[in-house]
Amino acid sequence: MKAIIGPQKMRALRLLSLAYFIQATGALSIVGALTSVAKEWSLNNTQSAYLIAVFGITFAVMAPFFQMVIGHIKRRSQLLTGLSIFFLGSLVFSLSTNYPTLLFSRFIMGLGAALMGPVLVALGADMVEGKHQGSAIATVLLGLSLSNLIGIPISSWIAYHLGPRTLFLSISALTFIAAVMTLLWVPQGNNGQRIKGKDILQMLGHLHSLSSLLVVFFLATGVFTTYSFIEPIIHIQYGGSNNDVSTALTILGIAGLIGNFFVVRAAAKMTSTSLLLIGIGLLIIDLILLMIIPSKLYFLYFTLIIWAFATDILWPTQQRRVVELNPVMRGIALALTASFLFCGISLGSTLAGWIFPALGYAGLLVVSIASLLLAVLCIKLSSASDEK
């Protein structure tokens, strides 16, 4: 049987998937290594959480800026530049001797991700004919799923058993290998498209588009206010070990794949708004369960299945909804969606660093629920303004 996509193009698509895996794992590996990082550099958990926030806000601001300034150059060139910068940031992290250098290294990694993120899917789609683009994009996005399933749990294990310096040295080595293979086997592809500042301002000036972007902002804030502190939560609230943290992260990855499997099929039968409300409803119910169930690990593992299932409904559905609400400017809409997502990740991890020491686990859960309710409000606003 003849392959749908030729072997050379499939190899290139898998390399793009590897780049996505590296970006996602490098961005969120701190989540599973929070305590190890704090111990290595004598930090508190709040300072460690800021390492997530710095990466996120850098990506959020610089991704659209780079696309305005150099978005027109060859996409592979943008990717190679991003991989090189990401490699440098990871290496600096592994060699850091103090907290300011750690923050700077995360800023550098955020710059690299801001160059990589917007072009990975587009570069993959460029490689194949239109009828095969769906398969090509799915192949590239597999790297994100594998990061949740494999990358982040393994990162937690490496950070605990071998140290966070070894973790980030490994990320830098993998990034270097990916850059070399990209140079050798990923075709140059087409020029990118430069985003105009006036188009961004136009989109942000419309209530229906701004409120649709705020949905993903409040979703990310709600999720990461609790998720970014999952490691200290398991240690302190549930008396778990580092192996229990790795188990929890693996459960999240597997259940997330099930959620992704569900949403692919449900999308053909349900509107994006309905799916979003179902996902948010499940997540709120899950957060309430976390408030009332006994502090036993097996209860936590059960709620994490619901958590991952719900969140993997939310992320692709929100992207679909943004495109549906902004069909003419979908490229800019998706770029801004990524920016608002990382702004939410930054705010959520920052809030977690402030709230957990002062109000504890319950405080994180309450703020997460409040943020998700704000996301529901924004869904209603964007739906109402679109109907007018």
Side-chain angles (χ1 to χ4, degrees):
M1 183 176 179
K2 188 177 180 180
I4 294 177
I5 300 174
Q8 291 184 338
K9 290 182 178 179
M10 183 55 71
R11 179 177 61 187
L13 289 170
R14 287 170 179 159
L15 286 175
L16 296 180
S17 182
L18 174 62
Y20 218 135
F21 173 87
I22 292 167
Q23 178 193 309
T25 302
L28 298 179
S29 56
I30 296 289
V31 170
L34 207 66
T35 302
S36 298
V37 169
K39 182 178 179 180
E40 177 70 23
W41 283 278
S42 301
L43 310 177
N44 56 47
N45 285 328
T46 300
Q47 290 174 308
S48 297
Y50 289 157
L51 297 173
I52 304 172
V54 167
F55 182 100
I57 199 66
T58 302
F59 183 102
V61 173
M62 297 306 296
F65 175 78
F66 282 143
Q67 291 306 300
M68 285 191 290
V69 176
I70 61 171
H72 60 289
I73 69 173
K74 296 287 186 181
R75 290 193 172 110
R76 192 189 72 161
S77 299
Q78 295 182 54
L79 174 57
L80 285 170
T81 304
L83 284 167
S84 301
I85 295 172
F86 202 84
F87 158 76
L88 178 62
S90 304
L91 186 61
V92 171
F93 191 105
S94 69
L95 299 175
S96 295
T97 57
N98 52 54
Y99 185 56
T101 309
L102 285 175
L103 291 172
F104 180 65
S105 72
R106 292 294 285 174
F107 169 73
I108 297 173
M109 291 180 71
L111 288 178
L115 277 166
M116 295 160 56
V119 302
L120 284 168
V121 171
L123 187 55
D126 280 348
M127 293 182 194
V128 298
E129 299 175 4
K131 62 181 179 180
H132 299 321
Q133 286 186 348
S135 297
I137 291 171
T139 301
V140 175
L141 291 177
L142 181 63
L144 179 61
S145 298
L146 290 177
S147 173
N148 291 326
L149 179 62
I150 301 172
I152 296 174
I154 288 179
S155 294
S156 175
W157 187 92
I158 292 174
Y160 175 69
H161 292 283
L162 304 177
R165 293 183 186 275
T166 302
L167 168 62
F168 279 87
L169 188 61
S170 301
I171 291 172
S172 67
L174 187 60
T175 306
F176 178 79
I177 293 169
V180 172
M181 291 193 296
T182 297
L183 182 63
L184 293 175
W185 293 314
V186 174
Q188 186 68 270
N190 300 325
N191 289 340
Q193 293 180 330
R194 178 182 281 169
I195 294 176
K196 296 179 180 179
K198 66 178 183 179
D199 292 334
I200 293 177
L201 293 176
Q202 179 183 347
M203 177 163 288
L204 295 178
H206 290 163
L207 178 61
H208 87 280
S209 54
L210 177 60
S211 54
S212 68
L213 292 168
L214 285 172
V215 172
V216 73
F217 171 77
F218 286 118
L219 286 177
T221 301
V223 168
F224 277 83
T225 296
T226 298
Y227 175 67
S228 60
F229 262 50
I230 188 170
E231 188 188 16
I233 286 170
I234 289 173
H235 288 316
I236 297 171
Q237 188 73 21
Y238 293 90
S241 66
N242 284 279
N243 288 332
D244 294 323
V245 173
S246 295
T247 300
L249 293 172
T250 302
I251 289 171
L252 285 169
I254 294 171
L257 286 179
I258 298 171
N260 189 265
F261 180 84
F262 167 79
V263 79
V264 168
R265 283 146 186 79
K269 302 177 181 179
M270 302 178 66
T271 66
S272 56
T273 298
S274 297
L275 276 173
L276 274 179
L277 292 174
I278 288 171
I280 293 172
L282 283 173
L283 207 49
I284 290 175
I285 291 171
D286 200 43
L287 288 163
I288 293 172
L289 282 175
L290 286 168
M291 286 182 177
I292 62 177
I293 61 173
S295 296
K296 303 292 185 181
L297 278 169
Y298 49 84
F299 286 125
L300 174 66
Y301 292 156
F302 171 74
T303 60
L304 289 180
I305 294 172
I306 301 173
W307 177 284
F309 183 84
T311 53
D312 267 60
I313 291 174
L314 294 177
W315 304 134
T317 303
Q318 171 57 19
Q319 292 201 44
R320 170 190 164 193
R321 187 169 184 270
V322 166
V323 170
E324 290 172 350
L325 292 176
N326 305 277
V328 178
M329 305 176 73
R330 62 180 181 177
I332 297 172
L334 288 172
L336 288 175
T337 297
S339 291
F340 274 69
L341 170 68
F342 275 92
C343 278
I345 290 173
S346 297
L347 179 60
S349 56
T350 300
L351 288 174
W354 295 342
I355 293 168
F356 190 69
L359 301 176
Y361 182 39
L364 297 181
L365 299 176
V366 169
V367 173
S368 288
I369 291 172
S371 185
L372 293 174
L373 292 175
L374 288 173
V376 172
L377 176 61
C378 289
I379 290 172
K380 297 300 183 182
L381 284 174
S382 56
S383 298
S385 60
D386 189 52
E387 291 171 359
K388 292 181 180 180

